[in-house]
Amino acid sequence: MSFIVHHGLLAARSQTKGASSCLGARARLCQQTLHRNLLRNRTASQKRLNGIQIRNASGGAEKNKVAVKYGVRLVGTGSAAPKQVLSNADLEKLVDTNDEWIKSRTGISRRHIAGEGESLSSLASEASVKALEMAGVDAADVDLIVMCTSTPDDLFGCACVVQHNIGAVNAAAFDLTAACSGFVVGLVNVTHLIRGGNFRNVLLIGGDVLSRYVDWRDRATCILFGDGCGAMLLQAKEGECNVLGFDMRSDGSMNKSLVAAYHSNGTGPKPLAEGAASDLGSFENISMTGSDIFKFAVRAVPQIVNGALDAAGLEREHIDWLVLHQANQRIIDSAANRLGIPLESVVSNISEYGNTSAASIPLAFDEVVRSGQVKPGDVVAFAGFGAGLTWASAICKWGEITNK
């Protein structure tokens, strides 16, 4: 007897001619039983899908609530930036530009550039230690490290190097790539991992060393990018989740608007020919169509924040702080204006650091947390956008710091 699935319906057929009526009856009974189980599983699966159809992390609208044992709280932050600073005046020596032109178009005055002895792993380790110290959590108690970056020190990632550097001997570690949206995408992923009940203390890191891929003779891009890293410790808590809602989106049709493509002597795939088979593989410098990215960002950021607010069941008036990817001050101002968020509630440190990709959101947030501006219980809207193209937002409540 064999059973086959055809267009989702299970059928039974006899492989032996002249099968007895008893065998046929058993086959029909088995078929009916399996068919009922299939329908039951379909119904259960549909209910699960309905429960997460707008990707709500904590509940929001009644029909989207998903019962979970553990929630998430945000309890510690840290950041690090290279010592070497490259000012607008310094760039005047490299390209045809000036301080006034750069600031009026981007809001950037300086950017930090990794120097001798500095790497993404070293910056990430420094930021992580600070986040753990703020949270009062020992590195040995960290269960998981998620490193959000597009520029690892090693092609295979550097989360494990950070794990070793800080002594998180009990933690699993992996890298995640979503460009300038990386930290928010990482936050959403970590939220689900914690809510699953398998992780208690998770270190989320956003960092990039984009200076490795900057053409310092290209005025359109070299004025924008800097290096840095930020970290956040997220903890499991029973009951209420402080990640209130989120939304994530992508549009690969605009991928070429911001790229740093793979390169091998300009030939694409590495050739097997003599003299080229051992050439180093590498990536091109960053190439960006600035006007496309600007138009995309001013449209996408309000859209994605509103989507996350809807998932959280909140209104714009509930936002205490807006922390956006620090790409361009004009984008930040335009998004805040469209959302109706007052400028005093908008976090910006782009003047000092420039665009640090996945680092920009946690780096900026760490500054306002450490300055005492952000208070426990404040509602924070995070939103990232960038290469891919990707964009993502999460609405969170900043939590109290405890050692429990």
Side-chain angles (χ1 to χ4, degrees):
M1 178 68 65
S2 67
F3 294 93
I4 58 173
V5 176
H6 181 62
H7 297 299
L9 297 176
L10 187 145
R13 70 181 181 189
S14 175
Q15 292 179 324
T16 306
K17 292 183 179 180
S20 67
S21 60
C22 179
L23 181 59
R26 289 180 180 177
R28 286 193 296 275
L29 178 61
C30 185
Q31 175 185 355
Q32 293 167 0
T33 301
L34 289 172
H35 185 61
R36 284 196 300 271
N37 289 340
L38 177 62
L39 292 176
R40 188 180 300 115
N41 289 338
R42 279 181 180 173
T43 302
S45 296
Q46 188 60 49
K47 287 180 178 179
R48 288 194 294 271
L49 288 171
N50 288 340
I52 60 172
Q53 63 184 349
I54 62 169
R55 302 177 294 279
N56 189 353
S58 67
E62 185 70 26
K63 67 178 181 179
N64 294 298
K65 286 187 177 180
V66 180
V68 293
K69 181 177 181 180
Y70 293 103
V72 180
R73 60 182 179 183
L74 291 59
V75 295
T77 63
S79 60
K83 298 179 178 61
Q84 178 178 310
V85 172
L86 190 67
S87 69
N88 291 346
D90 294 326
L91 286 176
E92 292 178 15
K93 303 170 185 176
L94 298 174
V95 293
D96 180 17
T97 191
N98 59 69
D99 179 63
E100 181 182 356
W101 189 89
I102 296 172
K103 285 197 292 189
S104 65
R105 286 162 176 76
T106 68
I108 301 170
S109 297
R110 295 150 47 104
R111 67 283 298 147
H112 293 242
I113 305 298
E116 190 70 29
E118 293 177 316
S119 65
L120 179 60
S121 299
S122 66
L123 295 172
S125 299
E126 180 182 344
S128 298
V129 168
K130 292 176 180 178
L132 291 173
E133 288 176 347
M134 179 184 288
V137 172
D138 189 88
D141 293 326
V142 174
D143 306 304
L144 179 66
I145 297 172
V146 179
M147 178 77 209
C148 306
T149 185
S150 300
T151 57
D153 299 328
D154 185 314
L155 177 64
F156 300 118
C158 57
C160 293
V161 175
V162 175
Q163 181 246 13
H164 170 72
N165 287 349
I166 67 174
V169 293
N170 297 308
F174 65 86
D175 288 56
L176 180 154
T177 299
C180 304
S181 304
F183 185 80
V184 181
V185 173
L187 177 60
V188 172
N189 277 272
V190 167
T191 295
H192 283 82
L193 289 169
I194 291 176
R195 291 170 73 229
N198 293 320
F199 301 96
R200 184 168 181 82
N201 293 301
V202 179
L203 194 57
L204 176 64
I205 309 166
D208 273 298
V209 182
L210 289 175
S211 61
R212 293 168 173 167
Y213 304 104
V214 169
D215 179 353
W216 295 105
R217 299 290 183 232
D218 177 14
R219 185 177 73 160
T221 57
C222 74
I223 64 173
L224 298 174
F225 299 107
D227 305 332
C229 195
M232 179 183 290
L233 187 77
L234 294 93
Q235 254 182 2
K237 58 173 289 189
E238 290 197 8
E240 181 185 355
C241 183
N242 285 350
V243 179
L244 307 176
F246 64 88
D247 198 3
M248 300 190 297
R249 307 191 186 194
S250 302
D251 182 3
S253 70
M254 294 184 66
N255 175 261
K256 291 186 178 180
S257 296
L258 178 53
V259 294
Y262 172 76
H263 168 78
S264 178
N265 282 342
T267 62
K270 183 177 289 189
L272 300 179
E274 186 68 28
S278 297
D279 285 352
L280 296 177
S282 62
F283 290 88
E284 300 275 6
N285 288 326
I286 296 169
S287 173
M288 181 177 71
T289 306
S291 58
D292 288 351
I293 297 300
F294 185 89
K295 292 174 185 177
F296 153 73
V298 297
R299 170 184 55 84
V301 173
Q303 174 198 59
I304 205 71
V305 173
N306 283 329
L309 282 170
D310 184 55
L314 299 177
E315 302 294 334
R316 300 175 186 180
E317 293 74 21
H318 292 111
I319 296 175
D320 296 305
W321 297 98
L322 180 64
V323 187
L324 302 180
H325 166 49
Q326 308 286 295
N328 184 304
Q329 189 62 49
R330 291 192 298 159
I331 294 175
I332 296 171
D333 292 343
S334 175
N337 182 60
R338 293 190 181 201
L339 286 166
I341 306 296
L343 291 181
E344 57 268 25
S345 297
V346 180
V347 177
S348 174
N349 65 356
I350 191 172
S351 177
E352 175 64 24
Y353 298 102
N355 181 343
T356 56
S357 193
S360 71
I361 289 175
L363 198 160
F365 187 60
D366 180 53
E367 289 193 346
V368 289
V369 168
R370 290 181 180 275
S371 69
Q373 294 171 263
V374 175
K375 309 295 184 185
D378 280 358
V379 174
V380 184
F382 298 108
F385 54 91
L389 298 177
T390 62
W391 60 112
S393 178
I395 310 299
C396 304
K397 185 185 296 184
W398 176 243
E400 295 181 3
I401 301 170
T402 76
N403 295 332
K404 294 181 181 180

